[in-house]
Amino acid sequence: MLTALQTDLASVVEGVNLVWVLTVTFLIFFMHAGFAMLEAGQVRAKNVANQLTKNLLTWSIGVIVFFLLGAAVSSIVAGVTGGPSTTITSAFMGLYAPDAAATTAWVDWLFGAVFAMTAATIVSGAVAGRARLRAYLTYTIFIAGVIYPVVVGVTWAGGFLGGLGFHDFAGGMIVHGMGGIAGLTAAWLIGPRMNRFNADGSANVIPGHSITFAVLGTLILAFGWYGFNVGTAAAPLAYADGAVTLGSFAYVGRVALVTTLGMAAGAIGAGGVAMYKTGKVDTLYVANGLLAGLVGVTAIADDIVWPGALVVGLLAGMQLPIVFEFVEKRLRIDDVCAVFPVHGSAGILGALLYPVFAMPVWHGGASVVSLAIPQIVGVGVIAIWTFAATAAIFGAFRAVGQARVSADHERQGLDTAEHGVDTYPEFGSPDTDTGIRADGSGIPHGDGFMTTGKED
Amino acid sequence: MLTALQTDLASVVEGVNLVWVLTVTFLIFFMHAGFAMLEAGQVRAKNVANQLTKNLLTWSIGVIVFFLLGAAVSSIVAGVTGGPSTTITSAFMGLYAPDAAATTAWVDWLFGAVFAMTAATIVSGAVAGRARLRAYLTYTIFIAGVIYPVVVGVTWAGGFLGGLGFHDFAGGMIVHGMGGIAGLTAAWLIGPRMNRFNADGSANVIPGHSITFAVLGTLILAFGWYGFNVGTAAAPLAYADGAVTLGSFAYVGRVALVTTLGMAAGAIGAGGVAMYKTGKVDTLYVANGLLAGLVGVTAIADDIVWPGALVVGLLAGMQLPIVFEFVEKRLRIDDVCAVFPVHGSAGILGALLYPVFAMPVWHGGASVVSLAIPQIVGVGVIAIWTFAATAAIFGAFRAVGQARVSADHERQGLDTAEHGVDTYPEFGSPDTDTGIRADGSGIPHGDGFMTTGKED
Amino acid sequence: MLTALQTDLASVVEGVNLVWVLTVTFLIFFMHAGFAMLEAGQVRAKNVANQLTKNLLTWSIGVIVFFLLGAAVSSIVAGVTGGPSTTITSAFMGLYAPDAAATTAWVDWLFGAVFAMTAATIVSGAVAGRARLRAYLTYTIFIAGVIYPVVVGVTWAGGFLGGLGFHDFAGGMIVHGMGGIAGLTAAWLIGPRMNRFNADGSANVIPGHSITFAVLGTLILAFGWYGFNVGTAAAPLAYADGAVTLGSFAYVGRVALVTTLGMAAGAIGAGGVAMYKTGKVDTLYVANGLLAGLVGVTAIADDIVWPGALVVGLLAGMQLPIVFEFVEKRLRIDDVCAVFPVHGSAGILGALLYPVFAMPVWHGGASVVSLAIPQIVGVGVIAIWTFAATAAIFGAFRAVGQARVSADHERQGLDTAEHGVDTYPEFGSPDTDTGIRADGSGIPHGDGFMTTGKED
């Protein structure tokens, strides 16, 4: 009878954990709508449908590729690089796996898939307005099938970075950092939109068509991010040797708190820098700063205390305007939706600050240096791999002149050229020669602003 | 003491199941926002507020009617048509039902209500831009109070189709198929928008005002659909004879996987057909194809394996452009938001493919024919009933000249005519004579496109 | 062994409760996106980014202030005003609280924080289009750090109104009522937007720029409100003396039902009054009426039966057009997004109707009068405190001429003036002299409409 009750408890634990994992998985899926709106709002009206189509197809193509290939690649890479040989899930489980096992395995697969698709979809924001759809979708197949799975294989799935002690709680580096680096690399190879930079190297602004959609996307992302971070404390309950304990939920309150304070501090950090430099609070800096704050704490949300979250979030927000200007003015890369400052550098920052803010009490007092080495190695390996793989694919497309649309198509807009649609057929004729005035001169990028920097 | 612990376990099971059912019910409710955006984006700017008002009032009027009448009709119809006499829930439970019973019953009622409102709201997308508000809202009362409840009564609630073995897991036919058929019937009886068809029978395009809102609606719907399908695996835990088991959650992983692959394949299927025919990827086909893929697997998500989901989703997506053109060019019905191809034919397709893709191992090896007969009968009965009941109501309104607004009101737009509002007072003057050029000639429907099919 | 199983059950109960509280907390957080869209849609295109920035910063600044200060103020006020001395949570818990305790405490804190931020963000809708950002954000610090926490301290946290028996289930008065009163007070002190009223005291209309965003916000809010109300039935399971019971979930079905019927009746009530007065159904009345219906039942959703929800929701909806006109025509206050009729008067109405609709069977048959006194006292105390504190802060800003932007900045729009951005750079030039025709005359407010009241 007691044994029967213990079996009951195991069922209860499995049921509760499934309810949680499914709920947060749905929230993370909804981040896709957030990315769609965030990016759509930050591109020209003539390129909105293209951005939305990329979003829909990144999910649709990517999730099938990740099912048929990516998940298995993760497992194989983990095994090959010295980790424990993990079970190959997804398509390779076969068709008729016993119900209960299939439930756990396939729910776990979907939980992994929504993280993979987050990484994949970040890239489209960087290359908006000129990347050729076929080149982009080919890259989607690679990032979902190989590039991201390799990163997961060497880290979470148990590969050599995992063995080394690389710490990334919910994907600040593994998901967002790699997505941001991939986006920057792709934007660099594809080249800037026409009129984005002048012959003398100075930058023009090509403001997005709707700040409203961008902020809506920001808030949808923040909503889904609670699933992303808090949900990563994956199992409310643990069952072992006949006893139930509070599983990884023992620290879930800390993760929820740290996520909240990180995003708040990020918005304040970015908005504060803008205010300091211009006397005005650029809405897009506040919105993207909130996201940078979230990225900043994502890798370390399980191991920092709340003052750490405030500091990391603030730094992640403050670096946004600085890195955005650096990418534009020094690197002269046209990262349309600021995906590198938001996801890339903020993700790297969070991962590298881990040794500073991780609480010794949760680590047996490991030294800062011993914590720092795996973080530095991990960030470096992920960055180099992501850069190299992305550069290889977009470099190949570029070599054969297929990385970007023709100048004519870019001028008329990708919506017409690639999709045959007009996103807003009733709202006037958007200016097609974006970035230049009627007299042909460029519109300078508002100094200290993410966008126009309109004067009173 | 052991008995006490068993009582505890029963409480735990009830608590866990309530948490799940409530969470997914909220997600399904949120689909209403998805429909609002999807439909608003696909209508002219002058008709947006009308579409949104219909959406709000479909929910508000419909849910009260379903509470006072519809739920009881389901129970009565189930009993009358030979099913087990089910308990009459909702308003007829009285006021003072014991707390615990009321909780279970009323949560179950709300879970049923959000499905009912999904069916009801689909219709508004088909009749956009010309249906009279009073006619539409009268129909809402009938669909929420009688038409949909009868369908549920003869199927899920235990009526004769249920007894025959008709299989519809989460409402691919019962909810979406019937909604799509109702929409097509209503659009046929009300007639097309002015200028939608030329005298020679050829079609003009009247493009919707915002693809952005349409895609936002698509992604909100996909998010809510996880609740719709995965949530239908209603009870995480089961408690019987003192023992807890993993309830219907034993297959929840399969449902989550199949739902994911079905929507992905649907988007690819519809986009692929568009690409094949035109060389361009119409954004609205991709978005609606994703939804058609979801509809396609909804009836069968519990009993197919993943290759089946890929095939059914792909077929559901591929039939979308074909059926959309058939409805337009052959039937000459103006189904504004493509609700029949998305919900109707995709729902029928999924239900009819059940015998082909249902896994014998879960059915004791029943023959394809023995599985097919109830599906064919079920689809036929639901289609005929929905068509007849809808035709009777809109036919009556048409007979007395009340089914659609006056030509003047249609030209100026329903927002002004029926609601006294201007949805976008600052964004220029939308062209009121939609569907025709300044010289009075029609704008041909882009061949192979869902909308304009703009040339480079 | 039995003891061990009881410990297991306690863990299970804690895990289930955490899953629920976290899920509904995320839903309530998402209401922030609803407010952002609802308010953005109801302001001019030139002020949208300002509204969105306020929303983002209300959350970001407010939640940190509530963490560092507000939550502690609640606890202290509760203790000082005679309640049981409650534990001080949030920042004052320290850094290293034991994991399990921190989880419960910090999740509870976040659950409280999302309610606090709801109250704070309501205010921005009333003062849109002319409040100075610095004044508004200073007020945000006060409402998050002191004003709202004092209200919670004297009520939910156990202060003297709680001791008196003041009943407010989920914050119909404590959150929405106080937010609506604060908004009205602020709008009064800051004064109306230019051209909103004519010299003879008659009102002009300044229609918002997008009904679509307003309705999207409405539906997001309704979605989140299920978390707000149903979630307040906070603990699915209770564990005491070794036994598990169904916690506060015993009445959760009633709360879900009442919330559903209340919002439906609210939309019908407001839409019906509009229809009666004008023959047309103003979309914004329907949308805001749905929200007013939700506010109306929020204070009493645990203790009324369904006919009560229909009546209270209907009354809350019906009072909306009446109170909106009263505020405009009698008080001549420019409450841009109708936050007082939606949140203020509807919240007061619900709280005051409690004695009428509370079911005696759940109260041991307390007399209507004995129930009414604490409600009247509670509503009065909250209203006076909120009014006085808000008036002090905005009065001080007004005294030094810092409450509103300059007339030039108001005319050009706050987006350019305060943020240096153009929300819709491609959609024509919005009319800057809003509220007046080209000849300088005002556009009269449509009688019986929330907005223009356009004629056929």
Side-chain angles (χ1 to χ4, degrees), chain C residues 58 65-66 70 116-117 119-123 136 138-150 178-179 182 386 390 393:
Chain C
T58 301
V65 171
F66 187 75
M117 293 307 103
T121 208
I122 288 170
V123 178
Y136 174 78
T138 303
Y139 180 74
T140 295
I141 292 172
F142 278 94
I143 194 171
V146 179
I147 308 177
Y148 173 81
V150 166
M178 84 85 69
T386 304
T390 305
I393 295 162

Short mmCIF file of all heavy atoms in Angstrom, two decimals, chain C residues 58 65-66 70 116-117 119-123 136 138-150 178-179 182 386 390 393:
data_model
loop_
_atom_site.label_atom_id
_atom_site.label_comp_id
_atom_site.label_asym_id
_atom_site.label_seq_id
_atom_site.Cartn_x
_atom_site.Cartn_y
_atom_site.Cartn_z
N THR C 58 6.97 53.35 -16.26
CA THR C 58 6.13 53.09 -15.08
C THR C 58 6.47 51.72 -14.51
O THR C 58 6.66 51.54 -13.30
CB THR C 58 4.64 53.14 -15.43
OG1 THR C 58 4.34 54.43 -15.95
CG2 THR C 58 3.77 52.87 -14.21
N VAL C 65 11.10 50.64 -7.30
CA VAL C 65 10.68 51.40 -6.12
C VAL C 65 9.81 50.55 -5.20
O VAL C 65 9.97 50.56 -3.98
CB VAL C 65 9.92 52.68 -6.55
CG1 VAL C 65 9.30 53.37 -5.35
CG2 VAL C 65 10.85 53.63 -7.30
N PHE C 66 8.92 49.79 -5.81
CA PHE C 66 8.06 48.93 -4.99
C PHE C 66 8.88 47.86 -4.27
O PHE C 66 8.56 47.47 -3.14
CB PHE C 66 7.00 48.28 -5.87
CG PHE C 66 5.97 47.49 -5.10
CD1 PHE C 66 4.98 48.14 -4.38
CD2 PHE C 66 6.00 46.11 -5.08
CE1 PHE C 66 4.03 47.43 -3.65
CE2 PHE C 66 5.05 45.38 -4.35
CZ PHE C 66 4.07 46.05 -3.64
N GLY C 70 8.16 50.23 -1.49
CA GLY C 70 6.71 50.06 -1.39
C GLY C 70 6.26 48.88 -0.57
O GLY C 70 5.37 49.01 0.29
N ALA C 116 0.47 46.25 -8.00
CA ALA C 116 0.88 47.64 -7.75
C ALA C 116 1.12 48.38 -9.05
O ALA C 116 0.71 49.54 -9.22
CB ALA C 116 2.15 47.64 -6.89
N MET C 117 1.76 47.70 -10.00
CA MET C 117 2.08 48.37 -11.27
C MET C 117 0.82 48.60 -12.10
O MET C 117 0.77 49.55 -12.89
CB MET C 117 3.11 47.54 -12.05
CG MET C 117 4.47 47.48 -11.39
SD MET C 117 5.16 49.12 -10.99
CE MET C 117 4.86 49.18 -9.21
N ALA C 119 -2.08 49.51 -10.80
CA ALA C 119 -2.61 50.77 -10.26
C ALA C 119 -1.83 51.96 -10.79
O ALA C 119 -2.40 52.97 -11.21
CB ALA C 119 -2.57 50.74 -8.73
N ALA C 120 -0.49 51.83 -10.80
CA ALA C 120 0.34 52.96 -11.19
C ALA C 120 0.14 53.34 -12.65
O ALA C 120 0.09 54.52 -13.01
CB ALA C 120 1.82 52.63 -10.94
N THR C 121 0.00 52.35 -13.50
CA THR C 121 -0.02 52.63 -14.94
C THR C 121 -1.35 53.20 -15.42
O THR C 121 -1.43 53.80 -16.49
CB THR C 121 0.37 51.36 -15.75
OG1 THR C 121 0.96 51.76 -16.97
CG2 THR C 121 -0.83 50.49 -16.04
N ILE C 122 -2.40 53.01 -14.64
CA ILE C 122 -3.71 53.55 -15.02
C ILE C 122 -3.65 55.07 -15.18
O ILE C 122 -4.27 55.64 -16.08
CB ILE C 122 -4.77 53.14 -13.97
CG1 ILE C 122 -5.09 51.64 -14.08
CG2 ILE C 122 -6.04 53.96 -14.12
CD1 ILE C 122 -5.93 51.08 -12.94
N VAL C 123 -2.87 55.71 -14.32
CA VAL C 123 -2.83 57.17 -14.28
C VAL C 123 -2.40 57.78 -15.61
O VAL C 123 -2.94 58.81 -16.04
CB VAL C 123 -1.89 57.64 -13.15
CG1 VAL C 123 -1.79 59.15 -13.11
CG2 VAL C 123 -2.36 57.08 -11.81
N TYR C 136 5.37 63.26 -14.33
CA TYR C 136 4.69 61.96 -14.31
C TYR C 136 5.55 60.90 -13.63
O TYR C 136 5.07 60.13 -12.80
CB TYR C 136 4.32 61.53 -15.74
CG TYR C 136 3.77 60.14 -15.74
CD1 TYR C 136 2.45 59.89 -15.35
CD2 TYR C 136 4.57 59.04 -16.05
CE1 TYR C 136 1.95 58.60 -15.30
CE2 TYR C 136 4.08 57.75 -15.99
CZ TYR C 136 2.77 57.54 -15.61
OH TYR C 136 2.29 56.27 -15.54
N THR C 138 7.99 61.28 -11.50
CA THR C 138 8.10 61.55 -10.07
C THR C 138 6.87 60.99 -9.35
O THR C 138 6.97 60.35 -8.30
CB THR C 138 8.21 63.06 -9.81
OG1 THR C 138 9.33 63.57 -10.53
CG2 THR C 138 8.36 63.36 -8.33
N TYR C 139 5.70 61.25 -9.95
CA TYR C 139 4.48 60.70 -9.36
C TYR C 139 4.52 59.17 -9.31
O TYR C 139 4.07 58.56 -8.34
CB TYR C 139 3.25 61.18 -10.14
CG TYR C 139 1.98 60.63 -9.55
CD1 TYR C 139 1.46 61.14 -8.36
CD2 TYR C 139 1.30 59.59 -10.16
CE1 TYR C 139 0.31 60.62 -7.80
CE2 TYR C 139 0.16 59.07 -9.61
CZ TYR C 139 -0.34 59.58 -8.43
OH TYR C 139 -1.47 59.06 -7.87
N THR C 140 5.08 58.57 -10.37
CA THR C 140 5.20 57.10 -10.40
C THR C 140 5.97 56.60 -9.18
O THR C 140 5.62 55.59 -8.57
CB THR C 140 5.90 56.65 -11.70
OG1 THR C 140 5.06 56.99 -12.79
CG2 THR C 140 6.16 55.16 -11.70
N ILE C 141 7.04 57.32 -8.83
CA ILE C 141 7.82 56.91 -7.66
C ILE C 141 6.97 56.98 -6.40
O ILE C 141 7.01 56.07 -5.56
CB ILE C 141 9.08 57.82 -7.54
CG1 ILE C 141 10.03 57.53 -8.70
CG2 ILE C 141 9.76 57.63 -6.19
CD1 ILE C 141 11.20 58.49 -8.80
N PHE C 142 6.14 58.00 -6.29
CA PHE C 142 5.30 58.13 -5.10
C PHE C 142 4.19 57.09 -5.06
O PHE C 142 3.90 56.52 -4.02
CB PHE C 142 4.71 59.54 -5.02
CG PHE C 142 5.64 60.55 -4.43
CD1 PHE C 142 6.46 61.33 -5.21
CD2 PHE C 142 5.72 60.68 -3.04
CE1 PHE C 142 7.34 62.25 -4.66
CE2 PHE C 142 6.60 61.59 -2.46
CZ PHE C 142 7.42 62.38 -3.28
N ILE C 143 3.54 56.85 -6.20
CA ILE C 143 2.43 55.89 -6.16
C ILE C 143 2.95 54.48 -5.91
O ILE C 143 2.33 53.70 -5.19
CB ILE C 143 1.56 55.98 -7.45
CG1 ILE C 143 0.23 55.25 -7.23
CG2 ILE C 143 2.25 55.45 -8.66
CD1 ILE C 143 -0.79 55.45 -8.35
N ALA C 144 4.12 54.15 -6.48
CA ALA C 144 4.67 52.81 -6.27
C ALA C 144 5.30 52.65 -4.90
O ALA C 144 5.32 51.56 -4.34
CB ALA C 144 5.70 52.50 -7.36
N GLY C 145 5.82 53.76 -4.37
CA GLY C 145 6.55 53.67 -3.12
C GLY C 145 5.72 53.96 -1.89
O GLY C 145 6.01 53.45 -0.79
N VAL C 146 4.67 54.77 -2.05
CA VAL C 146 3.92 55.19 -0.87
C VAL C 146 2.40 55.10 -1.06
O VAL C 146 1.71 54.44 -0.27
CB VAL C 146 4.29 56.64 -0.47
CG1 VAL C 146 3.48 57.08 0.76
CG2 VAL C 146 5.78 56.77 -0.20
N ILE C 147 1.87 55.76 -2.09
CA ILE C 147 0.42 55.94 -2.16
C ILE C 147 -0.32 54.60 -2.24
O ILE C 147 -1.20 54.32 -1.41
CB ILE C 147 0.03 56.85 -3.35
CG1 ILE C 147 0.83 58.16 -3.30
CG2 ILE C 147 -1.47 57.14 -3.31
CD1 ILE C 147 0.56 59.09 -4.47
N TYR C 148 0.04 53.80 -3.21
CA TYR C 148 -0.59 52.48 -3.30
C TYR C 148 -0.23 51.58 -2.12
O TYR C 148 -1.11 50.93 -1.55
CB TYR C 148 -0.24 51.83 -4.64
CG TYR C 148 -0.71 50.40 -4.76
CD1 TYR C 148 -2.02 50.10 -5.09
CD2 TYR C 148 0.16 49.33 -4.50
CE1 TYR C 148 -2.46 48.78 -5.18
CE2 TYR C 148 -0.26 48.02 -4.58
CZ TYR C 148 -1.57 47.75 -4.93
OH TYR C 148 -2.00 46.44 -5.00
N PRO C 149 1.04 51.53 -1.73
CA PRO C 149 1.38 50.68 -0.57
C PRO C 149 0.59 51.03 0.69
O PRO C 149 0.24 50.14 1.48
CB PRO C 149 2.88 50.93 -0.38
CG PRO C 149 3.38 51.21 -1.76
CD PRO C 149 2.28 52.02 -2.39
N VAL C 150 0.29 52.30 0.92
CA VAL C 150 -0.52 52.66 2.09
C VAL C 150 -1.90 52.05 1.97
O VAL C 150 -2.46 51.50 2.94
CB VAL C 150 -0.59 54.19 2.25
CG1 VAL C 150 -1.69 54.59 3.23
CG2 VAL C 150 0.77 54.74 2.71
N MET C 178 -8.59 53.10 -7.01
CA MET C 178 -7.58 54.11 -6.62
C MET C 178 -6.84 54.64 -7.85
O MET C 178 -6.58 55.84 -7.95
CB MET C 178 -6.63 53.54 -5.55
CG MET C 178 -5.46 52.73 -5.98
SD MET C 178 -3.99 53.73 -6.41
CE MET C 178 -3.55 54.36 -4.82
N GLY C 179 -6.57 53.78 -8.82
CA GLY C 179 -5.92 54.24 -10.04
C GLY C 179 -6.78 55.22 -10.81
O GLY C 179 -6.30 56.25 -11.31
N ALA C 182 -6.87 58.53 -8.89
CA ALA C 182 -5.59 59.22 -9.06
C ALA C 182 -5.51 59.86 -10.45
O ALA C 182 -5.06 61.01 -10.59
CB ALA C 182 -4.43 58.23 -8.86
N THR C 386 -6.18 58.87 -1.77
CA THR C 386 -5.64 58.90 -3.13
C THR C 386 -5.74 60.30 -3.72
O THR C 386 -4.79 60.81 -4.34
CB THR C 386 -6.38 57.90 -4.02
OG1 THR C 386 -6.31 56.59 -3.42
CG2 THR C 386 -5.79 57.85 -5.42
N THR C 390 -2.36 62.50 -4.40
CA THR C 390 -2.12 62.83 -5.81
C THR C 390 -2.16 64.35 -6.02
O THR C 390 -1.33 64.92 -6.75
CB THR C 390 -3.18 62.14 -6.70
OG1 THR C 390 -3.16 60.74 -6.42
CG2 THR C 390 -2.90 62.37 -8.17
N ILE C 393 1.06 66.11 -4.95
CA ILE C 393 2.23 65.99 -5.82
C ILE C 393 2.03 66.80 -7.11
O ILE C 393 2.88 67.61 -7.49
CB ILE C 393 2.51 64.51 -6.13
CG1 ILE C 393 2.90 63.80 -4.83
CG2 ILE C 393 3.62 64.38 -7.17
CD1 ILE C 393 2.80 62.32 -4.87
#
